[in-house]
Amino acid sequence: MPTRIAYALGALGLTLPGQTFGTYLAFYYLDHMGLAAGAFALARLVFSVWDAVNDPLFGYLSDRTRTPWGRRRPWLFLGLPLLLLAFYLTFSVPERFRQGEALFGYCLVVILFFETFAALTWVNHAALFPELFRSQEERARANAWRQGFYFLGLAVSIALTPLVYTALGFSGMALLYGGMGGVLVLLFLLAIREDPKAQEAAPLPFLPAFRYTLENGPFWLYSLAALFLLFAVGLFGAAMPFYAKYALGLGPEATSLLFASVLLSALPSVFLWARLAGAMGPKGAWLLAIGLLALGALLLLWPRTLLQALLVGVLIGVGFGGVLVLGDLLLAEVIDRDAQRTGRRREGVYYSVYGFVNRLSGPLQALSFALLTPLFGYVSGEAPGPNPEAAFRFLMAGPPFLAGLLALALAYRFPYGAR
């Protein structure tokens, strides 16, 4: 099996539980289980703090690991079964935990359990990308395949999920997706081999390893831009079921169609963006993709029918595809330049600090949901307030558009990736 296909299968396997968790966690606990929005926001905030803290630790340990099987694969073999168990428990609340403080406590514990092993697996999978694929052309091709499989995973885990949980229930959905994801990640792990030369140089001590990363200006420009983009895309996903229900007055089938409009337009666009990276340079194409994503966010204020919303979804999908394909190329260049300077490949630390920054999108999303109560009176599905339509039009359009503008300003200053 070609390495780029195997790597893409691993991304698909992690996407199935990861994106389902990120997209339907709020809907499951707020609208299905009746947890208050304020309580959910608090749990999500604690989750995000822990997520930010453990990423650097896992990345540093991964960089320092020395085994005959490589630096990353042992951690992936360890974390995968625990990740899948946590995913199942998240969407399978026992009867005795389904009310009040017990529901809040259960939600908090299981999402912290899930996040721990999600961070462990994602950091190590991502850290393999610059090592397995060295040239810009090779990375562009490999990342197009990875993102193509990623969007396939999104189509299953997000767009089809309302139909799946309607048929199987949330726990049945979690069991199905977890099983599929586990098989795909195992295929990836058995098919790839790490470069033994990456383990030859002695790892940097803890403080220098992070100091060199934290002093890297281009890394911070990229990471902050990516933070705002991740926040925008994450909020699209988390708010989409509410947008379909309250803004458009439609059911779960419409949610599936809206997700499909984004994902099915993003999927073919990844190969176009890979070509545009060669024609315009990764940075120029990245700026264009961010601009399309921000425009799509603003246009979400407009739809009154499903067809109108689907058209906006296509635009968002094309921009989303470009953001994913091109961003990884730019971050890999940052890591390559650091390796030239330090003589050590430190993908684990870089991806963990990058993950730390990106986890701040969680508190931003939590804050956005928390604003619905004072601004619009929305508390939960049982108490939606006087104007839930305005609440979720605001949530889908306002914060993501502002985040897109901030990302565009930061990306413009990024110094690498010119043609």
Side-chain angles (χ1 to χ4, degrees), residues 1 8 13 44 71 105 133 148 163 217 236 238 241 246 258-259 265 291 311 331 411:
M1 182 188 302
R44 194 70 171 80
R71 296 183 294 171
F133 313 104
L163 306 180
F236 285 148
Y246 293 112
L258 287 170
F259 279 127
S265 58
L311 293 174
L331 180 54

Side-chain angles (χ1 to χ4, degrees), residues 56-347:
L57 173 62
F58 293 149
Y60 178 71
L61 291 175
S62 179
D63 279 346
R64 294 184 65 84
T65 298
R66 298 292 185 272
T67 76
W69 306 279
R71 296 183 294 171
R72 321 300 182 186
R73 293 172 72 240
W75 291 108
L76 285 161
F77 276 115
L78 172 67
L80 178 62
L82 295 170
L83 170 68
L84 300 181
L85 174 62
F87 177 65
Y88 175 76
L89 294 176
T90 297
F91 291 98
S92 305
V93 181
E95 191 66 38
R96 64 181 179 274
F97 293 111
R98 294 193 172 191
Q99 292 183 353
E101 293 182 0
L103 178 60
F104 168 75
Y106 183 89
C107 173
L108 178 61
V109 170
V110 294
I111 66 176
L112 290 177
F113 181 28
F114 178 89
E115 196 288 318
T116 298
F117 295 101
L120 183 64
T121 52
W122 274 108
V123 162
N124 282 280
H125 180 270
L128 284 167
F129 179 73
E131 178 182 322
L132 295 175
F133 313 104
R134 292 299 176 89
S135 71
Q136 185 167 299
E137 181 182 357
E138 192 180 25
R139 285 171 177 171
R141 288 200 304 266
N143 208 33
W145 278 100
R146 175 171 66 162
Q147 301 305 341
F149 275 67
Y150 170 72
F151 283 119
L152 177 61
L154 290 181
V156 175
S157 63
I158 297 179
L160 294 183
T161 292
L163 306 180
V164 175
Y165 69 62
T166 298
L168 302 179
F170 279 95
S171 61
M173 172 271 295
L175 191 63
L176 175 64
Y177 289 179
M180 293 169 59
V183 169
L184 292 169
V185 176
L186 283 177
L187 288 174
F188 150 67
L189 288 173
L190 295 173
I192 64 112
R193 294 293 181 270
E194 297 184 43
D195 183 1
K197 294 181 180 179
Q199 302 188 66
E200 291 178 354
L204 288 171
F206 184 83
L207 291 180
F210 284 97
R211 187 178 72 246
Y212 291 147
T213 302
L214 297 176
E215 292 174 351
N216 191 324
F219 170 73
W220 280 107
L221 287 171
Y222 172 81
S223 296
L224 291 174
L227 163 64
F228 290 122
L229 294 170
L230 181 64
F231 161 68
V233 171
L235 199 56
F236 285 148
M240 189 74 81
F242 299 95
Y243 185 78
K245 178 178 180 178
Y246 293 112
L248 301 177
L250 302 172
E253 296 81 4
T255 302
S256 293
L257 289 173
L258 287 170
F259 279 127
S261 71
V262 174
L263 302 178
L264 294 180
S265 58
L267 178 57
S269 79
V270 297
F271 298 98
L272 172 63
W273 287 111
R275 289 184 174 273
L276 286 175
M280 303 174 61
K283 177 181 175 179
W286 191 41
L287 289 169
L288 176 59
I290 295 171
L292 292 178
L293 194 66
L295 176 60
L298 183 62
L299 290 176
L300 284 171
L301 290 170
W302 159 62
R304 294 296 183 272
T305 68
L306 178 60
L307 177 59
Q308 292 170 346
L310 292 175
L311 293 174
V312 178
V314 170
L315 178 63
I316 291 174
V318 173
F320 184 26
V323 163
L324 288 179
V325 169
L326 300 159
D328 288 322
L329 305 184
L330 297 170
L331 180 54
E333 184 173 351
V334 170
I335 294 171
D336 287 345
R337 289 174 181 258
D338 173 83
Q340 293 171 5
R341 183 167 65 98
T342 65
R344 298 168 176 86
R345 296 204 64 85
R346 301 184 302 111
E347 294 93 344

